[in-house]
Amino acid sequence: AQEMITLAPGIEFRGARMRFERNEEIFGEDEGAEYVYRVASGAVRTMRFTADGRRQILGFHLPGDIVGLELGQVHTLSAEAVASSELVMVRRSVLDKAAAESTTIARALLTLTAKTLDQAREHAMVLGRKGASERVATFLLGLADRMPSNPDVDLPMSRADIGDYLGLTIETVSRSFSDMERQRAIALPSSRHVVMRSRMALVQLQAA
Amino acid sequence: AQEMITLAPGIEFRGARMRFERNEEIFGEDEGAEYVYRVASGAVRTMRFTADGRRQILGFHLPGDIVGLELGQVHTLSAEAVASSELVMVRRSVLDKAAAESTTIARALLTLTAKTLDQAREHAMVLGRKGASERVATFLLGLADRMPSNPDVDLPMSRADIGDYLGLTIETVSRSFSDMERQRAIALPSSRHVVMRSRMALVQLQAA
DNA sequence: CGGGCGATTGATTGCCTTCAAACGTGGTGG
DNA sequence: CCACCACGTTTGAAGGCAATCAATCGCCCG
């Protein structure tokens, strides 16, 4: 099925829709970067590994987000489906050609990259300077802002994913959630369903 | 004095040379991003702060590096001179105009931003998944690769700077240095002067 | 020579990890 | 349809690594 992939308001490309199952690899580090993807449904994680196999998740990507945009010929990170997801893919060559011919499109690519850079810096900030519950609170607030269903947040990812994103263990993430529930900042009807009870409390936790 | 600022091989702009003393602010977060800078001599740190004042250094910038390149109208981080430094500054407007008229220049800006993004991701990896001595070893190796004087490295920055870059305290950084010296991976003739005795040992430390 | 700041080293604390066990839930096969 | 199994999550107990607190050292500058 042909679908549209939106790079920026008004800038669209035709692409093929493709389905990826839970934990299926979308592309790997050092693979050729032949396609660029847009998340249509589900959620995607991007990540890198240390030499000895430890995983660092660099970002979660929700519907509307662009994944796999690279400058070089190979991917500098890998991507997997967090849950069953549908992605729309466009050939790199198509994008490159369009960018070479249109200043507007080139500009959109730059804007996208710069936005991603800003996120990566904020992530570094969290990893370098915040304690466990601060990290989790920041994570929840960030996710909620990108979700339509605020203040109800459905987590597409496991505690392990969250841990690998925040530089924490599963257990510490779980404990932080429990603490936040005890403090009435959130409610946890189920482990994947968070209700933001007091955004203020979370904002406070985030900074503390 | 008029000087050249090189964005990429063959892409140069004329700019004014300016001197900044140790710890002097070059620009601040949320300030208007009127200029882009190239480090001519010395060293620069870029950083962000948490709401309660904790500092995270996002990068160190050595001669040849570009600092303060932004897409929006304001800086998203602040920059200070680590040591007395000379910077060449070019007006944003000049760069923007050139980029709008030349695909090559626009492409160079994108390349630069993408390279910075890659570094930020690697940084996140270090902060999220590595222990103290691994972080310090990674830092040293990274710095040495960017220094001309390999295997002798002159650190322009204090232990506090290194700590705020690596998400560690001064004491932990100091202890890591001492450990590495005890293991004969480095020598420390003075606190700011590191001699890489065994690059292999450092590479091992970095991954362990 | 004295002062001050940065670095080192030591002792102790505390937070997060690790190890371990139990719980819950969703999915599958009987 | 229900029982069971597997996996993800939660919770508890113990250990370890880096932070904190504190004192000394060394060096650059005045």
Side-chain angles (χ1 to χ4, degrees):
Chain A
Q2 292 293 300
E3 286 276 339
M4 298 312 280
I5 169 167
T6 309
L7 225 65
I11 303 180
E12 304 197 333
F13 292 88
R14 211 190 316 281
R17 200 186 192 84
M18 193 170 165
R19 183 170 191 80
F20 291 88
E21 295 309 319
R22 198 166 113 87
N23 294 329
E24 191 178 343
E25 177 175 88
I26 296 164
F27 55 82
E29 207 173 331
D30 298 326
E31 273 181 18
E34 201 184 344
Y35 293 96
V36 174
Y37 305 80
R38 176 179 160 276
V39 182
S41 73
V44 170
R45 58 176 172 256
T46 48
M47 56 218 180
R48 265 187 203 172
F49 295 86
T50 57
D52 59 337
R54 283 168 285 177
R55 181 178 74 158
Q56 175 66 47
I57 291 183
L58 296 166
F60 293 108
H61 309 276
L62 304 178
D65 292 349
I66 303 294
V67 178
L69 186 61
E70 301 278 353
L71 255 90
Q73 289 308 305
V74 294
H75 285 293
T76 56
L77 38 73
S78 34
E80 291 172 357
V82 169
S84 297
S85 305
E86 291 182 310
L87 307 200
V88 183
M89 25 198 305
V90 188
R91 284 208 120 78
R92 250 294 288 289
S93 55
V94 173
L95 232 68
D96 284 349
K97 196 158 166 245
E101 287 167 0
S102 155
T103 313
T104 312
I105 292 175
R107 180 100 195 141
L109 290 183
L110 181 53
T111 304
L112 210 61
T113 307
K115 219 164 259 173
T116 309
L117 172 57
D118 193 65
Q119 283 165 12
R121 283 172 169 161
E122 204 52 42
H123 192 199
M125 173 98 233
V126 171
L127 294 174
R129 283 284 158 246
K130 292 194 176 182
S133 25
E134 299 174 80
R135 295 188 198 192
V136 176
T138 305
F139 168 73
L140 271 182
L141 286 167
L143 198 63
D145 285 346
R146 302 163 60 201
M147 290 278 210
S149 52
N150 209 303
D152 278 47
V153 179
D154 267 300
L155 303 175
M157 72 289 285
S158 68
R159 298 290 186 267
D161 284 333
I162 299 174
D164 281 355
Y165 177 70
L166 295 176
L168 301 170
T169 58
I170 315 173
E171 295 94 329
T172 301
V173 173
S174 181
R175 278 186 243 275
S176 295
F177 273 109
S178 299
D179 287 346
M180 287 166 49
E181 195 179 20
R182 241 169 268 124
Q183 297 173 231
R184 313 242 179 286
I186 61 168
L188 277 171
S190 83
S191 70
R192 298 294 185 98
H193 188 195
V194 180
V195 182
M196 321 275 275
R197 276 232 238 168
S198 164
R199 183 166 239 281
M200 215 190 64
L202 282 175
V203 170
Q204 230 127 24
L205 269 175
Q206 164 190 227
Chain B
Q2 292 292 299
E3 287 274 341
M4 296 314 278
I5 169 169
T6 308
L7 223 64
I11 304 181
E12 304 198 332
F13 292 88
R14 210 191 318 280
R17 200 185 192 83
M18 192 168 165
R19 184 173 190 79
F20 291 88
E21 294 309 319
R22 198 167 112 87
N23 296 328
E24 192 178 344
E25 176 175 89
I26 296 163
F27 56 82
E29 206 175 331
D30 298 327
E31 273 182 18
E34 200 181 348
Y35 293 96
V36 173
Y37 306 80
R38 177 180 159 275
V39 182
S41 73
V44 170
R45 60 176 170 255
T46 47
M47 58 219 176
R48 264 187 204 173
F49 294 87
T50 56
D52 59 338
R54 283 169 285 176
R55 180 178 75 158
Q56 176 66 46
I57 291 182
L58 295 166
F60 293 109
H61 309 276
L62 304 178
D65 293 348
I66 303 294
V67 179
L69 185 62
E70 300 278 355
L71 255 89
Q73 290 307 304
V74 294
H75 285 293
T76 55
L77 39 72
S78 34
E80 291 173 358
V82 168
S84 297
S85 306
E86 290 181 311
L87 306 200
V88 185
M89 25 199 305
V90 188
R91 287 207 116 78
R92 250 293 287 287
S93 56
V94 174
L95 232 68
D96 284 348
K97 196 156 165 250
E101 286 166 3
S102 155
T103 312
T104 313
I105 292 175
R107 179 102 195 139
L109 289 184
L110 181 53
T111 304
L112 210 63
T113 307
K115 219 165 260 172
T116 310
L117 172 57
D118 192 66
Q119 283 165 10
R121 284 171 168 162
E122 204 51 43
H123 192 199
M125 172 100 232
V126 171
L127 294 176
R129 284 282 158 247
K130 293 195 175 181
S133 23
E134 299 175 79
R135 295 188 199 192
V136 176
T138 305
F139 169 75
L140 271 182
L141 286 168
L143 198 63
D145 285 345
R146 301 164 60 200
M147 289 280 212
S149 52
N150 208 307
D152 278 47
V153 179
D154 267 301
L155 303 175
M157 72 290 286
S158 68
R159 298 289 186 268
D161 283 335
I162 299 174
D164 281 354
Y165 176 69
L166 295 176
L168 301 170
T169 59
I170 314 173
E171 294 94 329
T172 300
V173 173
S174 181
R175 278 185 243 274
S176 295
F177 273 109
S178 299
D179 288 346
M180 287 166 48
E181 194 179 21
R182 244 168 267 128
Q183 298 174 230
R184 313 242 180 286
I186 61 169
L188 276 170
S190 82
S191 70
R192 297 294 186 102
H193 187 195
V194 180
V195 183
M196 320 274 275
R197 276 231 237 168
S198 163
R199 181 166 240 281
M200 214 191 62
L202 282 175
V203 171
Q204 230 126 26
L205 269 175
Q206 166 192 226

